[in-house]
Amino acid sequence: MSERRSPRILIFDSGVGGLSVAACVHKKLPQASIVYLADNAAFPYGGQPESVVVERCCTLIAKALEQYPCDAIVVACNTASTIALPHLRAITGVPVVGVVPAVKPAAAQTLNQRIGLLATPATVRRPYLDELIREFAPGCQVERVGHPGLVQWAEDLVRGLAVPQDELDNAVAGLRDAEVDTVVLGCTHYPLLLDSLRQSLPEVKFWVDSGDAIARRVAWLLAQVDKLDDALECNGAPNTPVLAALFSGGAPGGVASYMASLGLQPKTVTGSWPVQL
Ligand code: DGL
């Protein structure tokens, strides 16, 4: 009988935000091998036409799968998930998991029925957010903040720059005024800013993101396709390093040590990948 290799998961984002999701996947599935792919040459996706996001997502992911065949794909980007998932599913048989803002768990946790939703300007504008709120948080007041600065501050943090705390305080002032007790981090970059966000909004009791739910979904999917031994899913199993961290633009300076601080030790970091795109 041939020996089964550990499952391999491709995690995609427009930048470093997907690392917050990769950290959750790695914690849940420590023996799975992760390939991290960031289209940071086109960052931020929120500023791109939809056709460009679809084209770049599909092209880059297809190229990554050629070089690194994977058992699951995680689109760890809200913007790309709302636009590109059907197109991606049409070009590959590999199961694809997307991300949506965690409105449902936030509605289950809030004690005062006031929820803050922090996302990119592109995500807060999308009609699917109205549907999510109507379906999962009908009795709640949901205060949305779509700020352009936060994703860049998360990118800068990975490069070693401090988060501008005063600007962040101003960016989230609407959530303070609305006296929310729960905040949905509706962009995968935002968990990277959690320490600074807690400083800005000390009265918030619950911070909710989608990372753990995505990790559970990936584990479930891999089990369905028989790629997951029970033994692979236990905490404390040997850590598999990130097989490759691929960036379509320049690899952010300091990214390897930042990844290591999240428990994601990359074997290789490659910028301008793939060179011919
Ligand atoms: N991490 C992406 C997201 O969750 C960043 C958004 C962007 O590139 O515009 O939406």
Side-chain angles (χ1 to χ4, degrees), residues 23-62:
C24 294
V25 170
H26 180 63
K27 203 164 133 218
K28 174 88 179 148
L29 300 167
Q31 286 191 339
S33 162
I34 290 174
V35 175
Y36 189 77
L37 171 60
D39 188 10
N40 62 336
F43 173 87
Y45 267 6
Q48 299 285 359
E50 293 194 2
S51 56
V52 171
V53 173
V54 170
E55 169 70 21
R56 294 192 66 95
C57 247
C58 291
T59 307
L60 282 168
I61 289 175

Side-chain angles (χ1 to χ4, degrees), residues 67 99 127 186 266:
Q67 193 172 344
V99 60

Side-chain angles (χ1 to χ4, degrees), residues 13-14 43-46 76-79 120 151 187-189:
D13 183 30
S14 56
F43 173 87
Y45 267 6
C77 172
N78 288 269
T79 309
T120 63
V151 277
C187 168
T188 56
H189 279 70

Side-chain angles (χ1 to χ4, degrees), residues 44-270:
Y45 267 6
Q48 299 285 359
E50 293 194 2
S51 56
V52 171
V53 173
V54 170
E55 169 70 21
R56 294 192 66 95
C57 247
C58 291
T59 307
L60 282 168
I61 289 175
K63 282 194 187 301
L65 290 174
E66 266 169 42
Q67 193 172 344
Y68 301 99
C70 288
D71 304 300
I73 301 164
V74 176
V75 178
C77 172
N78 288 269
T79 309
S81 291
T82 53
I83 301 169
L85 293 189
H87 302 273
L88 205 47
R89 289 185 174 124
I91 60 157
T92 175
V94 179
V96 181
V97 180
V99 60
V100 289
V103 172
K104 190 179 178 184
Q109 285 192 68
T110 177
L111 301 175
N112 69 358
Q113 315 308 312
R114 293 182 193 183
I115 297 172
L117 202 152
L118 202 51
T120 63
T123 297
V124 292
R125 278 197 307 268
R126 297 224 188 269
Y128 87 109
L129 205 50
D130 300 318
E131 285 159 35
L132 274 182
I133 292 169
R134 216 175 299 124
E135 186 172 358
F136 296 117
C140 298
Q141 177 191 328
V142 180
E143 182 70 25
R144 302 180 201 194
V145 169
H147 193 278
L150 274 73
V151 277
Q152 189 57 53
W153 297 335
E155 293 282 326
D156 292 346
L157 183 68
V158 169
R159 293 184 167 87
L161 298 177
V163 177
Q165 193 67 45
D166 287 353
E167 287 181 59
L168 183 61
D169 289 350
N170 286 334
V172 299
L175 304 186
R176 195 175 310 112
D177 296 345
E179 297 181 356
V180 303
D181 73 351
T182 302
V183 175
V184 177
L185 300 175
C187 168
T188 56
H189 279 70
Y190 296 175
L192 305 181
L193 298 172
L194 191 54
D195 289 345
S196 304
L197 285 165
R198 281 189 207 277
Q199 270 189 57
S200 289
L201 297 169
E203 58 290 339
V204 168
K205 292 190 175 66
F206 307 109
W207 297 90
V208 193
D209 65 65
S210 310
D212 288 331
I214 293 171
R216 286 195 299 276
R217 177 78 184 154
V218 172
W220 181 85
L221 270 173
L222 292 174
Q224 298 307 298
V225 293
D226 200 24
K227 290 285 179 195
L228 197 63
D229 285 331
D230 288 345
L232 291 179
E233 210 189 328
C234 58
N235 284 333
N239 282 344
T240 305
V242 170
L243 186 58
L246 311 170
F247 293 85
S248 63
V255 73
S257 46
Y258 189 84
M259 288 177 72
S261 75
L262 298 176
L264 301 165
Q265 192 73 60
K267 260 188 179 170
T268 60
V269 174
T270 308

